Amino acid sequence: MELSSKKKLHALSLAEKIQVLELLDESKMSQSEVARRFQVSQPQISRICKNKEKLLADWCSGTANRERKRKRESKYSGIDEALLCWYHIARAKAWDVTGPMLLHKAKELADIMGQDFVPSIGWLVRWKRRNNVGFGARHVLAPSFPPEPPPPGLTSQAQLPLSLKDFSPEDVFGCAELPLLYRAVPGSFGACDQIQVLLCANSRGTEKRRVLLGGLQAAPRCFFGIRSEALPASYHPDLGIPWLEWLAQFDRDMGQQGRQVALLLAARVVEELAGLPGLYHVKLLPLAASSTTPPLPSSVVRAFKAHYRHRLLGKLAAIQSKRDGTSLAEAGAGITVLDALHVASAAWAKVPPQLIFSSFIQEGLAPGKTPPSSHKASEMPPVPGGLSLEEFSRFVDLEGEEPRSGVCKEETGTEDEKGDREGAFESLPTKADALRALGTLRRWFECNSTSPELFEKFYDCEEEVERLCCL
């Protein structure tokens, strides 16, 4: 008896899958009837229906190869999307983009993202096939939300641009770039201590984007051996904000959540990004150049700086208690960009959502009639000991003062601290070091009458360290 041969799999292209969805939506045909028409199995039609939203998003993106039958996701999808965004920008500027240029840019983006990736010719060929680059005519669609200028002086709800009113408060984001003297102490700071910080949150205060810091040098020694993806905030090696990369990541994140959001930006930034293609989920809304309203409420920015300075003074006081005779300025000299990254992340987490929500409404950046009542005492940190309210207020607004002139020096600390840091650069901490540190920390808690609540947080940390040690 002759055995029947195995049925050959008939894969459908993206265009055919869209036809399947149209048939199911517009006619009364069953999945089985559609399967027979396209000569495929009914489970395959069922899978197409299950992936309906993703297929429609690929179809509308204008970048997918519509005749491709199978879509294999790249292991480095973040690099894929970032390179595609850069490619759109290059083409919009009429650059002659070549294969070597794409390989070089892919490697550069991988380094920025902290990924160990070396692009090959084979990877580039697959990338072009996945994104329909260089394979005949492209199906380019205009972004879902082309930028449109708001009316002059966005300072009241009546002056909100119509497009902003179309978004819910959860989907309206404000973004601000601010200078920060990251290791300044009261009465002592210099221009070399300045970094750039990028803050972004939605108008409800329920969603804060990861803090981004623009550093002072390409490879600070304090980042030796550090995995950037494990840090609570992002670091960019140049003194400036990488807007293209940041926006591309923001757009990817919103796309993964299936959201369309509005992003308020300063007019200067939007002008620099003129002609930026590839943003399908983020609509850029520039404030008028003549407007004095910042894209992220000034009270939110000030609250962040107050929490940063309060946390910094607490850290410096601990350093002073460790070494008698150390001045506040000497302790501040030991603060690195990596320390500042952690302090900035903690300070941003301390800014309460109710302050963000009420500030957006008060400054006319979100619709609403009456700002919700808030407790002012909980919005700002307490005044540190040794400073008056006026002195602390001046310290918070330090960036508005004229910095002292001086020679820029590499980050350093006191002699003991400098020796500790240099030793850390020579050898990274081992699993045994981490476990010993846990034991020391628990013993210190036990000997200093620590509250039971703090032990609960310690147990979570201890459990996570022990899990990582077993990997």
Side-chain angles (χ1 to χ4, degrees):
M1 180 178 178
E2 184 179 354
L3 296 176
S4 60
S5 59
K6 187 175 181 181
K7 185 177 180 180
K8 185 178 179 181
L9 177 65
H10 180 202
L12 299 180
S13 67
L14 177 59
E16 289 173 324
K17 290 175 182 177
I18 297 300
Q19 291 178 21
V20 166
L21 293 174
E22 289 176 347
L23 274 176
L24 291 172
D25 287 342
E26 298 174 2
S27 70
K28 296 182 179 180
M29 294 178 67
S30 66
Q31 291 188 5
S32 298
E33 291 172 329
V34 173
R36 284 194 294 272
R37 171 174 291 195
F38 285 88
Q39 298 181 349
V40 296
S41 64
Q42 185 274 331
Q44 187 172 344
I45 299 298
S46 178
R47 286 193 296 273
I48 291 174
C49 294
K50 185 182 295 185
N51 297 323
K52 177 179 178 179
E53 292 185 4
K54 191 172 188 308
L55 292 170
L56 290 175
D58 287 344
W59 179 262
C60 295
S61 69
T63 60
N65 186 343
R66 299 185 175 191
E67 302 306 317
R68 196 172 182 201
K69 296 188 175 182
R70 291 184 179 86
K71 183 179 179 182
R72 295 180 175 86
E73 298 293 344
S74 170
K75 181 181 177 182
Y76 302 97
S77 57
I79 300 173
D80 266 35
E81 295 180 16
L83 183 62
L84 183 61
C85 180
W86 178 86
Y87 173 78
H88 285 316
I89 295 169
R91 295 297 295 166
K93 295 182 177 180
W95 294 351
D96 184 16
V97 180
T98 63
M101 284 177 64
L102 289 169
L103 290 172
H104 175 78
K105 191 62 183 180
K107 176 59 178 171
E108 184 180 300
L109 292 169
D111 293 341
I112 292 174
M113 296 178 181
Q115 296 193 33
D116 185 14
F117 171 69
V118 179
S120 63
I121 296 294
W123 175 86
L124 181 60
V125 170
R126 291 189 294 274
W127 176 85
K128 293 173 68 177
R129 186 180 297 119
R130 279 192 297 272
N131 297 291
N132 199 23
V133 173
F135 287 82
R138 294 176 55 81
H139 306 276
V140 180
L141 298 179
S144 304
F145 294 104
E148 58 185 51
L154 184 60
T155 56
S156 68
Q157 185 183 344
Q159 293 175 303
L160 285 173
L162 180 61
S163 55
L164 185 57
K165 292 180 180 178
D166 294 336
F167 293 88
S168 66
E170 291 81 3
D171 292 331
V172 175
F173 285 77
C175 184
E177 175 185 4
L178 59 137
L180 181 69
L181 296 165
Y182 73 98
R183 56 178 174 181
V185 299
S188 177
F189 65 96
C192 297
D193 294 337
Q194 182 170 297
I195 57 177
Q196 295 296 113
V197 178
L198 182 66
L199 302 177
C200 181
N202 70 350
S203 64
R204 280 282 186 186
T206 55
E207 189 173 348
K208 300 176 187 173
R209 298 289 296 172
R210 182 182 171 100
V211 179
L212 173 66
L213 274 69
L216 300 171
Q217 47 189 315
R221 297 176 64 214
C222 57
F223 280 86
F224 174 73
I226 299 295
R227 293 176 56 195
S228 58
E229 61 270 20
L231 295 174
S234 302
Y235 174 77
H236 184 65
D238 296 325
L239 185 56
I241 302 300
W243 285 106
L244 296 182
E245 290 85 354
W246 186 85
L247 284 170
Q249 183 62 53
F250 189 20
D251 191 67
R252 286 194 296 273
D253 292 344
M254 295 301 100
Q256 290 171 0
Q257 299 175 28
R259 296 168 63 185
Q260 300 284 353
V261 302
L263 178 63
L264 297 166
L265 283 176
R268 171 189 59 82
V269 176
V270 177
E271 288 175 2
E272 293 174 359
L273 299 171
L276 174 68
L279 295 181
Y280 301 107
H281 306 280
V282 178
K283 179 178 183 181
L284 303 183
L285 295 179
L287 299 183
S290 59
S291 173
T292 58
T293 303
L296 187 68
S298 54
S299 53
V300 175
V301 172
R302 195 171 191 278
F304 163 77
K305 291 169 64 177
H307 283 289
Y308 180 93
R309 296 262 150 75
H310 185 272
R311 181 71 187 90
L312 178 64
L313 288 178
K315 183 180 287 290
L316 297 180
I319 294 174
Q320 285 183 299
S321 66
K322 176 183 175 183
R323 288 182 291 273
D324 293 336
T326 302
S327 68
L328 200 61
E330 290 172 335
I335 299 297
T336 68
V337 174
L338 183 58
D339 295 327
L341 182 146
H342 286 284
V343 176
S345 179
W348 187 224
K350 288 279 189 182
V351 178
Q354 64 269 22
L355 170 64
I356 298 175
F357 185 29
S358 61
S359 299
F360 265 88
I361 295 177
Q362 288 170 351
E363 298 200 18
L365 297 175
K369 294 183 179 179
T370 305
S373 60
S374 57
H375 301 286
K376 296 294 181 182
S378 63
E379 295 174 357
M380 302 292 283
V383 177
L387 292 178
S388 66
L389 178 59
E390 183 181 355
E391 289 171 334
F392 182 59
S393 181
R394 283 191 60 191
F395 184 45
V396 169
D397 300 323
L398 205 57
E399 285 73 20
E401 299 184 12
E402 188 69 25
R404 294 182 179 181
S405 59
V407 179
C408 293
K409 297 181 180 179
E410 185 180 2
E411 294 174 338
T412 183
T414 59
E415 290 301 317
D416 292 341
E417 188 176 21
K418 184 177 179 181
D420 293 341
R421 292 187 186 276
E422 288 179 349
F425 297 141
E426 293 173 3
S427 61
L428 299 177
T430 64
K431 295 179 180 179
D433 293 333
L435 293 173
R436 277 194 296 270
L438 279 177
T440 301
L441 183 58
R442 188 185 68 184
R443 185 61 176 162
W444 190 86
F445 285 160
E446 293 166 347
C447 297
N448 286 273
S449 302
T450 304
S451 65
E453 291 78 12
L454 189 54
F455 271 108
E456 294 177 6
K457 298 178 181 179
F458 171 77
Y459 296 148
D460 292 338
C461 177
E462 183 180 45
E463 183 178 1
E464 182 63 15
V465 171
E466 289 169 348
R467 184 189 69 80
L468 291 173
C469 287
C470 294
L471 295 179

